[in-house]
Amino acid sequence: MRAFRVRVEIHRAENVAGAYTSRRDWENASVVWSGFASVQPDRAFEYRSPERETSQIRQLVHLPPGADVEATDRIQIRGEMHEIEGEPLPWKFGSLSHIQVKAWKVKR
């Protein structure tokens, strides 16, 4: 992809076991990959009710073929942290090779 213009970072956190469950320790996460990607809008949703007002922002991110990314990572795009939704999808086809991930964020 020729349009890798947005700087992104992939963050990974250790899985910490608690008394009843385990969780990711995002306060001590480390950057496992940083570089340029193509970031494109996917969808946006809004939920409005008297109890809460939230919106979801979803983006498609195309990373270079060598990017180290997993489904449990988080991705920082333009200074904002996003969750990765689903498994990263590698596309291996000549000069168009890339890894596609779906990033989402909830705004309150």
Side-chain angles (χ1 to χ4, degrees):
M1 297 220 112
R2 298 178 63 193
F4 291 147
R5 296 184 180 148
V6 178
R7 187 144 190 77
V8 300
E9 291 182 347
I10 306 294
H11 293 249
R12 190 167 294 154
E14 295 283 330
N15 204 13
V16 178
Y20 300 104
T21 185
S22 62
R23 63 172 183 81
R24 300 266 171 201
D25 183 14
W26 289 110
E27 293 175 6
N28 296 308
S30 59
V31 176
V32 294
W33 186 86
S34 69
F36 290 95
S38 172
V39 179
Q40 302 167 11
D42 187 16
R43 297 183 285 183
F45 300 95
E46 287 188 297
Y47 298 104
R48 294 182 185 255
S49 71
E51 295 83 32
R52 66 176 188 206
E53 259 187 55
T54 63
S55 65
Q56 293 184 24
I57 299 169
R58 295 178 186 264
Q59 301 182 60
L60 292 177
V61 181
H62 298 102
L63 300 165
D68 182 15
V69 61
E70 297 176 359
T72 55
D73 294 339
R74 289 186 178 174
I75 185 168
Q76 186 176 21
I77 305 169
R78 295 181 184 98
E80 293 186 334
M81 199 64 75
H82 295 70
E83 302 280 335
I84 292 179
E85 180 181 31
E87 290 291 326
L89 303 171
W91 176 264
K92 298 176 184 175
F93 190 76
S95 64
L96 297 176
S97 296
H98 63 275
I99 301 170
Q100 177 181 300
V101 296
K102 290 185 178 184
W104 69 274
K105 177 181 175 105
V106 175
K107 288 192 172 187
R108 300 187 194 286

